[in-house]
């Protein structure tokens, strides 16, 4: 996958950087970035967005779905980084569309429909636009974007979906056309767009949305038909019902089918015994279309119908389909460990929204940057969804209702309404994980002790009192070996370097608190100073705990060591990292899985 991606980066497409062809490629790069330890693919997408000024395409009218496509990538980056500039132009465009609804007539005949082209009139549009509208709804909490997507998806489906063949016509010009063998014309890549679009919609559609079962039903119905049309060599030909007339191998449609079917198997929506062999056969066919230098070939050029084409043809949208496919095959063959599957339909059992500020203290900023890379990769491995944001306005009932777990990476909310929303979320069964400075409160300071419920009742620790310096590794002792978050840990282990906190209250005296991990006495003296009070010589210091009245877990880790003294250079270089310690990582992962997997259960007694 990385070889194909590198070839594409070295041979950039000449298409408009915000158009649909590029967007399909970008979705593949984002899928690769989610499973690759190499950050260059993610960074390439960030540079793309910045270069585009986060603007949508401008090749057609404001309604053109092709021009909306890139918005789904912008929204995904926003959910990771929380920079509102990433979605501002898209919000402006979509708000304008909501205020000026498109013509619902999907006929392409301009003699009867002068405004033809303003709706989602062709099946490709179901990949281009819906995921952008849905992800913007997720990013902003505005249901209007979601409602628009659902309404227009089913308008297009009702118009172009053939209920007998369980396939989509490309547009209404193909209703009466027939192939050489007399069968209806169903274009492979066109239906590939729809299958991939369905996968991308279902994965982000709220579980309790009334339309979700209908989307799942259509996904399964199409999958049942598509799998029967795969050819013995693993490819789907350009014409699904007349493959003999178009014998060329074709990788773009095949890539989208491998992606969608693989995703369906991974999510438990499709029967593994039936669909996995087709996915593997298709992936092997795709691999056979990659040259040694990473060039992907057998990509049908831009078009709208089955055609003959040069077997050396390539294009960026084909690369996107290949990378999407590879990301699901990676999961399918063991590149991921599925951590949680819901009982109902096999979708990931929980979704996480992590809040951060990343404005104060380079040590905390460094941890946030580390975390927003590490957690999405971990989520891909363990099959949950992890979104991030620095927009604390999203700490509201509307947004939180879409997530089973909330994480505070480096601080807490200050706005009273946000605090009230979080308290209500926790008191009604929500789950939370907090790191290090998320537990800090001290009066007087910029973070005063002015939220009693959070610090005294929920965390139970009260105010911060003091800390060690400088960040130092400690031997940690597991206090509760029976808890799901700690049951895989050794009795003691060495932590990553950290600044350790002392608290106002003795958590051992609080019957609601279950201390999971504490600093072991063999760690003392702990800290290097230079101030004497920054070196601890004894005492009891909890590091991770839960509150039995809530589904929560706090960890006093997340302060990286920084070269404040510029001993190495003038960049405030990070000298140590929190994540990457296998035992400490396991504590975080198992804690998060415990929180997420218990999304419909009471807190642990």
């Amino acid at each position: 996958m990385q070889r194909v991606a590198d070839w594409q980066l070295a041979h950039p497409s000449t298409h408009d950087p915000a158009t649909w062809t590029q967007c399909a490629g970008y979705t593949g790069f984002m899928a690769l970035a989610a499973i690759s330890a190499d950050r260059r693919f993610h960074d390439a997408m960030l540079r793309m967005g910045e270069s585009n000024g986060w603007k949508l395409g401008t090749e057609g009218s404001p309604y053109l779905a092709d021009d909306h496509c890139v918005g789904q990538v912008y929204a995904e980056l926003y959910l990771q980084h929380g920079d509102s500039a990433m979605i501002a132009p898209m919000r402006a465009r979509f708000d304008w569309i909501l205020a000026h609804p498109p013509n619902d007539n999907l006929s392409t005949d301009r003699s009867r429909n002068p405004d033809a082209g303003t709706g989602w009139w062709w099946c490709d549009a179901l990949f281009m636009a819906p995921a952008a509208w849905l992800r913007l709804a997720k990013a902003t909490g505005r249901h209007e974007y979601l409602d628009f997507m659902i309404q227009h998806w089913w308008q297009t489906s009702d118009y172009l979906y053939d209920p007998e063949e369980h396939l989509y016509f490309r547009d209404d010009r193909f209703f009466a056309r027939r192939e050489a063998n007399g069968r209806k014309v169903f274009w492979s890549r066109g239906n590939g767009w729809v299958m991939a679009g369905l996968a991308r919609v279902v994965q982000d559609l709220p579980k309790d949305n009334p339309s979700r079962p209908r989307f799942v039903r259509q996904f399964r119905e199409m999958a049942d038909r598509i799998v029967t049309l795969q050819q013995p060599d693993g490819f789907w030909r350009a014409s699904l019902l007349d493959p003999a007339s178009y014998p060329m191998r074709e990788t773009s449609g095949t890539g989208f089918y491998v992606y969608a079917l693989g995703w369906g198997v991974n999510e438990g929506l499709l029967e593994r015994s039936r669909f996995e062999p087709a996915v593997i056969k298709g992936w092997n066919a795709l691999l056979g279309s990659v040259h040694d230098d990473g060039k992907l070939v057998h990509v049908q050029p831009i078009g709208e119908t089955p055609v003959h084409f040069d077997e050396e043809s390539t294009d960026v949208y084909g690369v996107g389909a290949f990378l999407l496919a590879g990301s699901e095959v990676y999961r399918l063959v063991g590149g991921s460990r599925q951590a949680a599957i819901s009982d109902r339909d096999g979708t990931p059992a929980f979704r996480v929204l992590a809040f951060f500020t990343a404005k104060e203290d380079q040590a905390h900023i460094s941890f946030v940057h580390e975390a927003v890379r590490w957690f999405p990769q971990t989520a891909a491995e363990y099959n949950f969804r992890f979104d991030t944001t620095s927009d604390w306005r999203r700490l509201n009932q509307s947004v939180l209702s879409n997530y089973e777990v909330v994480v505070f990476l480096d601080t807490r909310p200050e706005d009273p309404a946000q605090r009230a929303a979080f308290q209500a979320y926790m008191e009604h069964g929500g789950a939370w994980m907090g790191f290090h400075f998320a537990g800090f409160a001290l009066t007087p300071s910029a973070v005063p002790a002015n939220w009693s419920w959070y610090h005294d009742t929920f965390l139970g620790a009260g105010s911060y009192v003091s800390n060690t310096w400088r960040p130092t590794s400690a031997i940690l002792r597991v206090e509760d070996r029976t808890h799901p978050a700690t049951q895989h840990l050794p009795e003691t282990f060495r932590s990553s370097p950290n600044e350790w906190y002392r608290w106002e209250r003795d958590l051992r005296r609080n019957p609601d608190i279950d201390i999971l991990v504490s600093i072991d006495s063999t760690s003392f003296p702990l800290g290097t100073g230079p101030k004497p009070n920054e070196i601890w010589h004894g005492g009891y210091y909890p590091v991770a705990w839960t509150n039995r009245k809530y589904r929560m877990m706090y960890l006093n880790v997340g302060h990286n060591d920084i070269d404040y003294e510029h001993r190495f250079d003038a960049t405030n270089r990070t000298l140590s990292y929190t994540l990457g310690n296998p035992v400490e990582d396991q504590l975080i992962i198992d804690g998060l899985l415990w929180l997420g997997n218990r999304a419909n259960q009471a807190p642990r007694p």
Side-chain angles (χ1 to χ4, degrees):
M1 290 175 67
Q2 294 189 164
R3 181 155 50 95
V4 171
D6 284 334
W7 186 93
Q8 186 62 54
L9 290 175
H11 302 80
S13 170
T14 58
H15 301 303
D16 185 296
T19 195
W20 65 270
T21 51
Q22 300 278 26
C23 165
Y26 301 153
T27 63
F29 275 97
M30 292 298 292
L32 174 57
I35 62 174
S36 173
D38 196 321
R39 192 167 169 78
R40 70 181 184 276
F41 306 113
H42 173 271
D43 291 347
M45 294 300 95
L46 274 181
R47 289 193 299 271
M48 173 276 297
E50 292 166 352
S51 177
N52 287 351
W54 306 105
K55 295 178 181 178
L56 300 182
T58 56
E59 291 193 335
S61 79
Y63 302 102
L64 183 65
D66 285 348
D67 288 342
H68 299 176
C69 184
V70 72
Q72 59 189 278
V73 180
Y74 296 160
E76 187 171 352
L77 289 167
Y78 168 79
L79 289 168
Q80 295 178 12
H81 296 276
D83 183 352
S84 60
M86 295 175 172
I87 59 172
M90 176 165 55
R91 290 190 71 170
R93 172 85 67 90
F94 287 5
D95 286 346
W96 185 91
I97 292 173
L98 292 176
H100 304 82
N103 174 16
D104 291 336
N105 187 339
L106 302 183
S107 170
T108 59
D109 185 349
R110 291 189 178 274
S111 66
R112 294 183 299 170
N113 182 23
D115 294 327
T118 61
W120 297 350
W121 55 271
W122 74 116
C123 72
D124 314 27
L126 298 184
F127 178 91
M128 307 304 169
W133 284 84
L134 177 54
R135 290 186 176 190
L136 187 60
K138 183 176 181 179
T140 62
R142 287 191 58 191
H143 66 84
E144 295 91 343
Y145 301 132
L146 174 60
D147 294 343
F148 180 95
M149 183 279 292
I150 293 171
Q151 174 190 348
H152 288 273
W153 179 288
W154 294 116
Q155 283 181 354
T156 301
S157 178
D158 291 343
Y159 191 56
L160 297 180
Y161 188 59
D162 187 321
E164 296 178 354
E165 295 288 357
H166 296 166
L167 298 170
Y168 273 79
F169 291 102
R170 198 272 179 176
D171 58 63
D172 63 5
R173 295 172 300 161
F174 291 84
F175 288 166
R177 293 188 193 181
R178 296 296 182 265
E179 297 284 14
N181 64 359
R183 303 291 299 276
K184 298 174 183 177
V185 178
F186 290 111
W187 181 36
S188 176
R189 187 163 70 233
N191 281 272
W193 287 125
V194 178
M195 282 294 292
L198 274 167
R200 293 177 70 77
V201 164
V202 174
Q203 67 184 255
D204 279 324
L205 197 63
K207 294 180 182 178
D208 59 354
N209 188 281
S211 293
R212 183 182 177 85
R214 189 180 182 190
F215 279 99
V216 171
R217 185 164 56 250
Q218 184 172 80
F219 176 79
R220 286 173 166 157
E221 192 172 85
M222 287 192 70
D224 283 338
R225 182 64 168 123
I226 289 296
V227 75
T228 68
L229 301 174
Q230 187 179 33
Q231 300 304 300
D233 61 0
F235 288 97
W236 282 264
R237 293 302 189 263
S239 173
L240 291 176
L241 301 189
D242 188 12
S245 293
Y246 303 91
M248 307 80 63
R249 291 169 286 180
E250 207 288 303
T251 50
S252 61
T254 297
F256 286 129
Y257 294 135
V258 171
Y259 162 66
L261 298 180
W263 178 84
V265 172
N266 286 327
E267 299 301 313
L269 294 176
L270 301 178
E271 183 181 354
R272 181 176 291 267
S273 61
R274 182 181 181 207
F275 289 91
E276 182 176 27
V279 172
I280 297 302
K281 183 188 291 187
W283 179 243
N284 287 331
L286 291 170
L287 291 178
S289 299
V290 178
H291 288 339
D292 289 343
D293 63 356
K295 180 183 178 181
L296 176 73
V297 296
H298 307 309
V299 179
Q300 182 182 340
I302 294 172
E304 59 185 25
T305 187
V307 296
H308 296 266
F309 57 90
D310 184 348
E311 66 177 11
E312 284 295 302
S313 174
T314 190
D315 214 322
V316 63
Y317 51 83
V319 170
F322 177 90
L323 297 177
L324 286 169
S327 70
E328 292 302 327
V329 172
Y330 176 82
R331 295 173 59 200
L332 190 69
V333 300
S336 67
R337 172 180 163 188
Q338 292 191 1
I341 297 294
S342 73
D343 294 332
R344 184 178 63 174
D345 62 6
T347 57
F350 65 98
R351 302 181 185 200
V352 184
L353 179 60
F355 289 86
F356 65 88
T357 300
K359 291 183 179 179
E360 298 295 335
D361 197 321
Q362 188 60 39
H364 302 155
I365 296 171
S366 173
F367 170 68
V368 168
H369 290 171
E370 179 186 12
V372 298
R373 295 192 300 269
W374 184 84
F375 273 107
Q377 293 171 2
T378 302
E381 181 179 355
Y382 287 86
N383 197 33
F384 60 91
R385 186 168 186 91
F386 192 91
D387 299 329
T388 58
T389 182
S390 62
D391 185 356
W392 287 85
R393 293 172 298 180
R394 298 184 67 209
L395 193 64
N396 61 66
Q397 188 275 333
S398 177
V399 173
L400 295 183
S401 65
N402 295 310
Y403 294 91
E404 287 76 29
V405 185
V406 168
V407 173
F408 292 174
L409 289 174
D410 68 335
T411 189
R412 64 182 194 184
E414 299 299 328
D415 181 87
Q418 294 164 9
R419 290 180 173 185
F422 176 69
Q423 182 174 343
Y425 171 77
M426 294 306 304
E427 290 177 343
H428 289 84
W432 175 85
M433 177 177 282
F435 290 90
H436 192 60
F437 200 67
F440 182 94
L442 178 65
T443 301
S445 78
V447 187
N450 61 2
W451 192 9
S452 179
W453 172 82
Y454 178 75
H455 292 284
D456 300 331
T457 302
F458 180 65
L459 286 170
S463 294
Y464 154 93
V465 173
S466 65
N467 60 267
T468 59
W469 191 255
R470 75 178 305 123
T472 322
S473 179
I475 301 299
L476 303 184
R477 174 169 295 277
V478 177
E479 299 274 5
D480 181 354
R481 303 293 302 283
T482 67
H483 195 282
T486 56
Q487 61 186 358
H488 297 125
L489 303 185
E491 184 176 351
T492 60
F493 62 95
R494 179 170 290 279
S495 75
S496 299
N498 190 55
E499 174 194 62
W500 306 101
Y501 283 170
R502 184 199 309 257
W503 305 98
E504 175 189 12
R505 300 186 178 186
D506 186 346
L507 293 174
R508 293 171 293 182
R509 297 183 178 182
N510 188 333
D512 296 332
I513 298 299
D514 179 13
I515 299 173
L516 304 181
V517 178
S518 64
I519 295 175
D520 188 72
S521 60
T522 58
S523 297
F524 303 121
L526 186 61
T528 60
K531 299 176 183 178
N533 66 304
E534 296 170 336
I535 305 173
W536 293 351
H537 295 276
Y540 184 81
Y541 307 98
V543 171
W545 64 86
T546 67
N547 185 323
R548 294 181 175 91
K549 291 187 175 180
Y550 301 93
R551 203 164 67 254
M552 60 83 76
M553 180 175 175
Y554 172 78
L555 302 102
N556 182 21
V557 299
H559 184 111
N560 294 342
D561 194 11
I562 301 296
D563 182 20
Y564 292 112
E565 297 83 5
H566 297 166
R567 290 174 293 169
F568 298 97
D569 52 38
T571 64
N572 286 341
R573 177 190 301 187
T574 298
L575 302 178
S576 71
Y577 292 90
T578 300
L579 304 168
N581 177 321
V583 181
E584 199 166 315
D585 288 355
Q586 195 65 56
L587 171 64
I588 296 169
I589 292 167
D590 285 346
L592 198 53
L593 297 183
W594 168 66
L595 292 170
N597 283 328
R598 298 178 64 84
N600 297 310
Q601 303 177 31
R604 187 170 180 260

